Amino acid sequence: MIHRPSPNHGPRRGGVRPDLIVLHYTAMERDAALERLCDPAAAVSSHWLIDRRGEAFHLVDEELRAWHAGMGSWGAVTDVNSRSIGIELEGDGSQYPAPLMEALTRLLRDIMARRDIHPARVIGHSDMAPGRKCDPGPLFDWRGLAHAGLSVWPEAGEDEPSGTDAALLRFGYPAFVSPQLRLEAFRLRFRPGASGPADAVDAGLAFDLARRFPIDRWDKAA
Ligand SMILES: [Zn+2]
C-alpha cells in the first residue's frame, strides 16, 4: 500500500460514520488519475485507488469526506460522500485484470470487517447516479464479488413486471430519477445487455433484492 495524500477532502457532515462503499473506474491511466485526484483545482478525490497491477494507493483518510460521488443518492442518503468510502479502479471498465480484482477483494474484506459494512452497502457509482454515471460498467464482476461475500447478487424468480420499479426503490435506487433510468442502472449491474420494457425476469431479480436487502433496514437506523 502506498500513501499518496490528497488535499481534496473535508469533515464528514453531521459526523456520520461511513457505511457505504462506492466503486468507480478512473477512465484514465493510473498516474493521470492520481494527479487529478490530488489536484486542488480538480476538486475530486477518493479514499483509495487500485491500479491494474493490484497496487493500492491510499489518498484520503477514511475518517474524512472524500469527493468522489457527486450528485445522486442511495435510499435516503443524499450526501453520499459523507456516508461512503470511495474506491477508484484504474481503467475505463473494458477490462478488470486479475491482480486488480484480487487487490480489491483484499481491500473490501479489510474495510468491511473493520467498519462492519454489509455486502448490500457496496454499490457502483452508476447505482447512485443513474443516467449521469456508468462506472464501474457492465463488465465489472459483481457476481464474483457477491460470491466472495463482498456485494450482493439476486436469485432469479418470476414476478409481475408492473412491480419492478417499486422493488428497485425498495432496494435503494434513487427516487429522483425516472423509472426508466432506475431500470437501466439496475440492468447495467445485474442484467447487462437486457433491453426493452421491464419484463418478468427484471421483476424477479428486483423483488429478490428488495425482499432480502430492503433499504429501510439502513435508512431507519440513519
Ligand atoms: Zn465514478
Side-chain angles (χ1 to χ4, degrees):
M1 190 251 281
I2 297 172
H3 280 279
R4 173 81 187 252
S6 168
N8 300 338
H9 57 71
R12 293 186 181 273
R13 292 174 187 155
V16 295
R17 304 186 63 77
D19 71 339
L20 266 174
I21 297 174
V22 181
L23 304 183
H24 305 260
Y25 60 58
T26 58
M28 57 181 85
E29 295 288 308
R30 179 192 73 181
D31 290 346
L34 285 171
E35 198 164 310
R36 181 169 152 78
L37 294 167
C38 295
D39 177 2
V44 292
S45 63
S46 62
H47 297 91
W48 296 92
L49 180 148
I50 298 173
D51 75 9
R52 63 181 73 245
R53 293 195 185 88
E55 187 66 69
F57 293 81
H58 190 196
L59 289 84
V60 174
D61 190 301
E62 289 178 7
E63 294 300 316
L64 298 168
R65 181 178 182 271
W67 305 339
H68 56 95
M71 207 190 84
S73 64
W74 188 248
V77 177
T78 51
D79 179 3
V80 177
N81 280 334
S82 280
R83 279 282 286 272
S84 69
I85 290 170
I87 303 176
E88 291 275 357
L89 307 174
E90 183 187 12
D92 60 3
S94 60
Q95 52 171 331
Y96 285 100
L100 182 154
M101 291 305 289
E102 285 157 16
L104 174 63
T105 298
R106 283 194 299 274
L107 180 60
L108 285 174
R109 240 187 252 295
D110 173 58
I111 295 172
M112 292 164 75
R114 276 193 285 110
R115 300 188 171 275
D116 194 24
I117 294 178
H118 191 280
R121 303 293 278 171
V122 179
I123 64 173
H125 203 185
S126 56
D127 291 318
M128 54 139 291
R132 188 172 71 83
K133 294 291 177 179
C134 58
D135 55 321
L139 300 180
F140 183 78
D141 187 10
W142 285 106
R143 191 199 297 257
L145 218 55
H147 190 70
L150 303 172
S151 187
V152 296
W153 190 260
E155 281 159 28
E158 298 273 305
D159 221 310
E160 177 51 53
S162 64
T164 301
D165 190 53
L168 294 181
L169 288 165
R170 284 206 304 282
F171 178 58
Y173 279 99
F176 75 97
V177 298
S178 66
Q180 179 61 29
L181 286 180
R182 275 191 288 278
L183 178 65
E184 287 172 13
F186 157 79
R187 282 175 165 173
L188 182 68
R189 174 168 163 190
F190 295 110
R191 212 187 160 200
S195 60
D199 59 22
V201 176
D202 294 307
L205 298 174
F207 267 80
D208 183 58
L209 290 171
R211 182 179 54 80
R212 289 193 289 148
F213 314 110
I215 192 69
D216 61 9
R217 188 188 296 180
W218 292 279
D219 285 346
K220 271 180 194 150

